[in-house]
Amino acid sequence: MSDQPAEKFEFQAEIKQLLDIVIHSLYTEKEIFVRELVSNASDALEKLRHLQLTEKECFDDRLALEINVSTDDTARTITIQDYGIGMTKPELVENLGTIAHSGSKAFLDALKNGGEKNANLIGQFGVGFYSAFMVAESVTVYSHSWKSDETGHTWTSDGSGTYSVEEAEGLRRGTKIVVRLKEDCSEYSQASRVEALLKQYSSFVSFPILLNGTQINTVQALWLRSKDEIKEEEYTEFYKFQAHAYDTPLLRLHFSADAPLQINALLFVPEHNPEKFGMVRSEPAVALYCRKVLIDPSPKDLIPEWLRFLKGVVDSEDLPLHISRETMQDKALLDKLNKVLTKRFLRMLEEESSKRPDSYAKFYKEFGIFLKEGAATDYSYREPLMKLLRFESSFTEKGQTTTLADYVSRMATEQKEIYFLLGPNRETIESGPYLEGMKSRNLEVLFCFEPVDEYVMNNVREFDGKKLAAADRADVELSELDSQTTEGELSKETAEALAAWLKSTLGDKVSEVKVSKRLVDSPVVALNDDPMMTAHMRRMMKAMNPDSATPPIKVRMEINPRHAVLSHLEATRQSQPERASLIAEQLLDTALISAGLLEDPTPMVQRLYKLLAQA
Ligand code: ADP
Ligand code: MG
């Protein structure tokens, strides 16, 4: 040891909070700490292997790239040691004392979002290095950086708020972590127990792992093996190891190709959409390998943005080992890989949807939103993505969905457009005034329940040469109904006159008043005349900028000459013109409510009282 005294440090506040939870949690699968420490050792070796491609000088060169695990049940310790890149003093402080690690960060975010005191959260996120404190009385890290001009250090902590760092002499390159186990965790100092744990995932580590001097894994890359000889559990274990995940994947794609590039790929769809609760946006997580050597754990351009939920590995022999996104040639290679992966993945989804619709539905529930994002933003995959979308419609049962292709196959020859309506749920759309005109003409309408749907429909615009049209838009043309005159129906002339009177009474509040072809059961309807300012758009603008005035509403009003309310209005117009004006305004406001366009209900409430008082 040197004569420098040990220096004491406080953990960053977030880490203290994390450690407190980790240490006091009753999380049952404490064993995951072995996996976390081995995976850190493997990362460190991987980084060193990469550095050696470019760096000439490296401390303690020629050491074997392997991981040594040793157990001592008399001293009650387990030690994990690697000859990887190691850490300098500032790196020890930064990496083990502050929140640098994405898993820990996601864990803390989840806690803030109401998961407090839930020990099982640890199981869902993993807390990397800190998981050692679930089983440790104290943890000592010996580390020497790969940089020749550095000295070695020890880092020690019992996890209770502080740690100390001290210079150390005679260390080999890399990191050795000694975990002194708590009394009730002594099982992890027993060779047989640790061997069983290591065997579960050690075959996914691309470096030899030795337990007390004996190698226990044969290094083999799962993705290079043939599909028929891989067991389901092996895939799942690999996923968990590679993606640092704790769930069971929903879908998997394992394939190899030779043209236009040599590729072996193993991709997974996780069980849940991690962005579902508005948590952090997923970072790309499909790792790039060349002949089993990791090139980049999270390359940016390997898969499209809208596939960012995918996990797994892609291995291509055609890549240069230090690929750079900046050079044109490497960029072209990445683009080619990207194309192959995306096409294969979309084809797999297509197959899943036709052969295993239930499984596809489960996938779609979690990840459909990413397909929509892709359809709206990525022109090159719009067609295949649109085919994968699912909607409820006026022709399906509640909860059942249809594809756009099936919709088109049901269209009558005269029908030119694909109709859709936006709304929070089926009931709201069905009880609104927009569906009835479609229904009475036997026109199918797709129901869009998600807020992004409007954005998607506006961007996508058409499918299979047919325009996508919002059924509440004023410019949707509808055919004449074979009208049977109902009793009390206003004559054509009277209805036209009433419409003209309504326009002059309502003035600027409406762009036009027309006798409707679409109304069957409702007396009036307000149709949006401005496709860029839908109800949803207005709400968004209001939310983003509450103080600004939204542009005045411009709607076209349509009246139903068959409805009793209108014949009553016609009669009132002759006998009590003032009361008729009140009713006219009231009708407009009710139509605006149905359209989701009424901004200030106060005048309408006052008016209603007045009308009721007169009745
Ligand atoms: P993660 O591995 O996800 O980054 P961890 O909490 O497991 O998070 O580790 C935190 C950081 O500590 C790592 O990112 C790495 O920089 C450093 N580290 C941990 N173990 C080692 C090791 N054996 N060798 C070198 N650096 C390590
Ligand atoms: Mg880690």
Side-chain angles (χ1 to χ4, degrees):
M1 291 282 138
S2 79
D3 31 357
Q4 296 262 338
E7 198 178 335
K8 230 178 171 151
F9 294 86
E10 292 243 340
F11 283 109
Q12 198 187 18
E14 280 103 327
I15 299 291
K16 273 193 202 165
Q17 186 193 358
L18 182 79
L19 280 168
D20 196 51
I21 295 161
V22 164
I23 290 167
H24 296 111
S25 85
L26 298 173
Y27 185 56
T28 46
E29 290 160 64
K30 295 187 192 297
E31 62 189 44
I32 59 155
F33 87 95
V34 179
R35 190 175 89 186
E36 295 292 346
L37 296 187
V38 168
S39 108
N40 283 350
S42 161
D43 290 349
L45 288 168
E46 204 77 72
K47 286 177 193 157
L48 186 88
R49 176 149 74 179
H50 215 232
L51 272 172
Q52 284 176 332
L53 294 171
T54 49
E55 299 290 333
K56 278 180 206 70
E57 223 178 297
C58 177
F59 176 68
D60 227 352
D61 225 344
R62 284 203 287 276
L63 280 175
L65 297 190
E66 61 185 28
I67 299 167
N68 281 289
V69 180
S70 49
T71 53
D72 182 340
D73 54 359
T74 16
R76 218 195 301 137
T77 59
I78 175 172
T79 302
I80 288 113
Q81 179 263 337
D82 65 72
Y83 295 132
I85 53 164
M87 285 175 273
T88 62
K89 183 177 170 187
E91 282 166 350
L92 281 166
V93 172
E94 162 86 18
N95 296 341
L96 307 183
T98 65
I99 190 123
H101 155 78
S102 59
S104 312
K105 185 132 184 12
F107 173 75
L108 283 174
D109 285 346
L111 274 181
K112 279 184 200 131
N113 285 324
E116 226 130 353
K117 301 198 186 68
N118 185 354
N120 286 327
L121 275 177
I122 296 177
Q124 286 166 38
F125 292 95
V127 287
F129 171 74
Y130 304 105
S131 60
F133 289 98
M134 291 196 287
V135 296
E137 243 166 45
S138 72
V139 176
T140 307
V141 180
Y142 302 81
S143 200
H144 192 300
S145 162
W146 64 276
K147 293 175 189 150
S148 311
D149 51 358
E150 287 286 341
T151 44
H153 291 89
T154 60
W155 177 106
T156 319
S157 179
D158 61 1
S160 62
T162 62
Y163 59 93
S164 59
V165 181
E166 192 174 355
E167 210 171 291
E169 270 156 32
L171 299 187
R172 310 300 311 257
R173 185 190 67 221
T175 304
K176 181 169 85 178
I177 300 180
V178 181
V179 181
R180 185 168 304 280
L181 296 158
K182 291 180 196 165
E183 218 169 314
D184 60 347
C185 297
S186 60
E187 57 187 293
Y188 302 109
S189 62
Q190 273 151 21
S192 56
R193 173 78 167 108
V194 174
E195 181 175 351
L197 283 175
L198 290 173
K199 284 220 159 118
Q200 261 181 44
Y201 54 79
S202 61
S203 60
F204 313 131
V205 178
S206 44
F207 301 97
I209 300 178
L210 289 82
L211 177 61
N212 299 327
T214 315
Q215 181 163 349
I216 59 161
N217 64 336
T218 43
V219 175
Q220 48 181 344
L222 188 78
W223 59 92
L224 296 180
R225 284 167 54 196
S226 137
K227 273 198 249 188
D228 342 312
E229 44 174 70
I230 304 175
K231 292 203 241 26
E232 199 62 32
E233 305 87 78
E234 286 183 281
Y235 275 126
T236 307
E237 280 295 319
F238 173 77
Y239 162 77
K240 290 185 177 177
F241 182 78
Q242 205 273 331
H244 294 271
Y246 298 84
D247 55 335
T248 306
L250 276 186
L251 296 174
R252 158 183 91 228
L253 172 65
H254 186 183
F255 75 92
S256 59
D258 289 313
L261 281 172
Q262 191 287 327
I263 296 182
N264 282 284
L266 177 51
L267 303 177
F268 296 94
V269 175
E271 192 172 343
H272 298 293
N273 169 6
E275 294 181 17
K276 197 163 53 176
F277 304 111
M279 285 210 260
V280 278
R281 185 181 171 88
S282 305
E283 291 294 321
V286 176
L288 187 59
Y289 282 75
C290 171
R291 297 171 205 260
K292 296 197 263 185
V293 177
L294 181 66
I295 292 180
D296 189 341
S298 53
K300 291 270 175 305
D301 308 315
L302 184 60
I303 47 169
E305 270 290 305
W306 48 270
L307 281 179
R308 61 186 176 276
F309 58 88
L310 285 182
K311 311 282 181 196
V313 303
V314 175
D315 192 318
S316 174
E317 291 180 9
D318 297 334
L319 292 171
L321 272 180
H322 28 297
I323 189 161
S324 132
R325 280 185 286 275
E326 281 76 50
T327 69
M328 288 311 283
Q329 208 209 339
D330 293 350
K331 172 108 182 49
L333 275 173
L334 277 178
D335 282 351
K336 266 191 204 161
L337 278 176
N338 186 317
K339 257 199 198 113
V340 177
L341 293 170
T342 309
K343 279 194 181 145
R344 289 297 281 251
F345 184 72
L346 288 175
R347 201 199 302 162
M348 186 270 275
L349 287 183
E350 187 63 51
E351 249 179 64
E352 194 71 14
S353 71
S354 60
K355 291 190 184 142
R356 285 171 291 277
D358 287 350
S359 147
Y360 182 74
K362 218 166 144 190
F363 161 81
Y364 192 80
K365 199 163 163 266
E366 291 290 320
F367 298 97
I369 191 152
F370 290 94
L371 303 184
K372 287 179 180 173
E373 179 186 322
T377 58
D378 193 344
Y379 188 76
S380 30
Y381 297 105
R382 182 162 289 170
E383 272 298 313
L385 280 168
M386 296 287 289
K387 287 193 183 132
L388 289 166
L389 300 188
R390 299 288 183 270
F391 297 95
E392 281 194 33
S393 91
S394 54
F395 281 19
T396 69
E397 299 288 313
K398 182 180 167 70
Q400 302 296 309
T401 59
T402 179
T403 63
L404 285 162
D406 285 345
Y407 178 106
V408 169
S409 73
R410 286 188 291 265
M411 283 168 71
T413 32
E414 321 83 69
Q415 188 183 343
K416 295 284 174 286
E417 297 175 320
I418 298 171
Y419 299 112
F420 66 89
L421 280 171
L422 302 153
N425 53 48
R426 191 174 179 103
E427 289 69 27
T428 309
I429 296 178
E430 280 181 333
S431 63
Y434 302 106
L435 193 59
E436 53 198 50
M438 299 289 170
K439 252 187 161 162
S440 60
R441 288 168 182 80
N442 207 31
L443 293 169
E444 183 172 5
V445 179
L446 298 175
F447 294 165
C448 303
F449 305 138
E450 281 187 293
V452 293
D453 287 334
E454 176 166 14
Y455 172 71
V456 175
M457 292 309 205
N458 284 340
N459 271 276
V460 169
R461 290 229 170 83
E462 57 171 54
F463 174 79
D464 198 9
K466 318 271 184 306
K467 262 174 71 185
L468 294 162
D472 56 359
R473 287 256 308 275
D475 53 8
V476 166
E477 286 292 335
L478 291 178
S479 63
E480 290 292 346
L481 274 184
D482 306 335
S483 53
Q484 294 164 314
T485 353
T486 33
E487 218 192 283
E489 180 176 340
L490 299 173
S491 73
K492 196 162 180 292
E493 294 73 40
T494 322
E496 297 287 356
L498 182 60
W501 173 82
L502 275 166
K503 170 65 187 136
S504 69
T505 308
L506 296 170
D508 283 345
K509 291 181 187 159
V510 288
S511 62
E512 190 184 4
V513 180
K514 276 181 70 170
V515 181
S516 183
K517 290 189 221 166
R518 70 177 84 209
L519 290 174
V520 180
D521 301 317
S522 304
V524 289
V525 68
L527 298 164
N528 194 358
D529 242 357
D530 184 351
M532 296 320 288
M533 276 305 277
T534 58
H536 175 65
M537 203 61 128
R538 276 180 184 279
R539 275 193 297 277
M540 287 220 310
M541 282 180 64
K542 205 81 196 158
M544 285 190 303
N545 204 347
D547 299 330
S548 78
T550 32
I553 293 162
K554 199 173 136 207
V555 291
R556 186 170 95 190
M557 188 177 179
E558 289 192 3
I559 58 171
N560 180 357
R562 290 166 291 274
H563 202 285
V565 166
L566 277 301
S567 35
H568 176 73
L569 177 62
E570 174 60 21
T572 314
R573 178 162 82 91
Q574 310 299 341
S575 55
Q576 297 165 268
E578 243 173 76
R579 182 173 164 79
S581 310
L582 280 182
I583 294 175
E585 287 183 33
Q586 198 67 13
L587 276 176
L588 174 61
D589 278 358
T590 34
L592 288 175
I593 292 178
S594 288
L597 286 169
L598 190 74
E599 278 170 357
D600 179 9
T602 338
M604 127 131 200
V605 172
Q606 294 307 328
R607 200 185 309 115
L608 184 62
Y609 289 150
K610 217 164 166 183
L611 278 167
L612 289 172
Q614 287 178 4

